């Protein structure tokens, strides 16, 4: 699964994108797996209320299922316009 | 409907004229242009805009399609830039064409509210001393509830 990071999430983790080998069934399970990896991940995912997630380029919730998902992205609330 | 995501600057006057010329029998054209604003005391070097290529286009199309279904519109234009922008440069524009002004105004307002917090762009302000991500505003999130 491709995992993408944007804005300060990208900066905190230190890379824009990575391929993750995971059996996670939900976004939350994936977050827990990433948190357990290293301090920089734990820091980036310390406050989920400050994060948004997209599954296959559609905004989703943290309890969204990952079955069949190819791409998951984590980012702060958007500031377009 | 025309959705453009680009790095290069654009001329909002030229874009608006082209959009207007394309319409037939539309009595109302409304446009909005967002411009990079400096700090009150100056010092902004760049507004660096990051986006999620792929999702950006999808999200903008979905927002514009939603506007077309809610109001009586003949056409919608959305242009949004990414990359390094300097103060006074246009960031984005929307234009709507309708038979009547109410639909054109409301749809443009709706598009702006959703572009603010549902299109995957992130702004970072760079000065000579620091750079900081622009925080999202609760007001912008609340504005979505109007619709």
């Amino acid at each position: 699964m491709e995992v993408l990071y944007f804005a300060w999430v990208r900066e905190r983790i230190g890379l824009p994108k990575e391929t993750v080998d995971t059996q996670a069934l939900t976004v939350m399970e994936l977050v827990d797996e990433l948190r357990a990896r290293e301090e920089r991940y734990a820091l980036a995912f310390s406050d989920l209320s400050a994060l948004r997630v997209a599954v296959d380029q559609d905004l989703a919730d943290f309890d969204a299922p990952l079955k069949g998902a190819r791409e998951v992205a984590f980012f702060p609330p958007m500031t377009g316009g | 409907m025309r959705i453009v995501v680009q790095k290069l600057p654009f001329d909002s006057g030229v874009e608006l004229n082209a959009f207007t010329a394309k319409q037939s029998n539309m009595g109302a054209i409304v446009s909005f242009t967002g411009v990079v604003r400096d700090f009150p005391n100056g010092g902004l070097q760049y507004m660096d805009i990051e986006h999620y290529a792929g999702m950006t286009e999808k999200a903008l199309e979905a927002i514009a399609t939603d506007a077309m279904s809610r109001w009586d519109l003949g056409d919608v234009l959305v242009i949004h830039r990414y990359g390094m922008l300097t103060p006074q440069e246009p960031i984005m524009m929307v234009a709507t064409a309708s038979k009547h002004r109410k639909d054109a105004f409301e749809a443009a307002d709706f598009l702006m509210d959703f572009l603010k917090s549902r299109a995957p762009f992130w702004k970072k302000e760079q000065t000579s001393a620091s750079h900081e991500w622009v925080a999202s505003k609760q007001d912008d999130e609340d504005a979505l509830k109007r619709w």
Side-chain angles (χ1 to χ4, degrees), chain B residues 82-93:
Chain B
Y82 60 91
M84 305 273 263
L85 281 63
T86 53
Q88 302 299 329
E89 280 192 61
I91 302 174
M92 51 78 57
M93 79 177 282

Side-chain angles (χ1 to χ4, degrees), chain A residues 7 10-11 71 76 79 81, chain B residues 50 52 121-124 133:
Chain A
R10 171 179 53 74
E11 291 178 340
E71 187 173 301
T79 51
Chain B
E50 182 170 332
Y52 183 172
F121 291 96
W122 299 275
K123 293 186 184 127
K124 187 191 223 180
W133 291 100

Side-chain angles (χ1 to χ4, degrees), chain B:
Chain B
M1 194 168 102
R2 183 164 166 254
I3 309 289
V4 184
V5 180
Q6 65 179 38
K7 197 168 188 171
L8 292 173
F10 64 89
D11 182 325
S12 54
V14 168
E15 295 293 345
L16 180 58
N17 285 338
F19 179 77
T20 304
K22 221 165 55 148
Q23 311 308 327
S24 61
N25 212 22
M26 291 291 129
I29 309 278
V30 163
S31 81
F32 173 89
T33 305
V35 178
V36 179
R37 185 162 44 97
D38 203 344
F39 297 122
N41 299 318
L44 179 70
Q45 286 191 324
Y46 295 104
M47 172 81 85
D48 191 0
I49 304 178
E50 182 170 332
H51 81 119
Y52 183 172
M55 178 172 168
T56 306
E57 292 79 358
K58 266 178 70 176
L60 294 180
E61 267 178 47
I63 294 166
T65 302
D66 198 5
M68 299 279 290
S69 72
R70 287 174 184 232
W71 287 277
D72 182 13
L73 300 176
D75 202 1
V76 169
L77 168 70
V78 178
I79 303 175
H80 205 303
R81 293 176 64 196
Y82 60 91
M84 305 273 263
L85 281 63
T86 53
Q88 302 299 329
E89 280 192 61
I91 302 174
M92 51 78 57
M93 79 177 282
V94 300
T96 54
S98 177
K99 290 190 179 68
H100 306 288
R101 74 187 149 98
K102 194 163 182 285
D103 286 75
F105 267 118
E106 281 186 8
D109 202 11
F110 167 90
L111 286 166
M112 284 314 306
D113 277 349
F114 277 80
L115 283 174
K116 276 262 169 214
S117 36
R118 289 293 180 274
F121 291 96
W122 299 275
K123 293 186 184 127
K124 187 191 223 180
E125 292 169 335
Q126 304 217 10
T127 66
S128 57
S130 68
H131 49 85
E132 207 156 320
W133 291 100
V134 174
S136 64
K137 296 191 191 76
Q138 188 57 42
D139 285 357
D140 290 338
E141 193 61 32
D142 292 343
L144 301 185
K145 294 175 190 146
R146 294 197 288 150
W147 309 105

Side-chain angles (χ1 to χ4, degrees), chain A residues 36-67:
Chain A
R37 279 182 162 187
E38 282 177 53
E39 187 64 19
R40 60 195 166 109
Y41 288 93
L43 269 175
F45 290 105
S46 59
D47 177 11
L48 294 189
S49 71
L51 289 182
R52 300 291 178 269
V53 59
V55 176
D56 287 335
Q57 304 188 351
D58 283 320
L59 284 174
D61 294 320
F62 280 86
D63 57 7
L66 288 182
K67 194 172 190 303

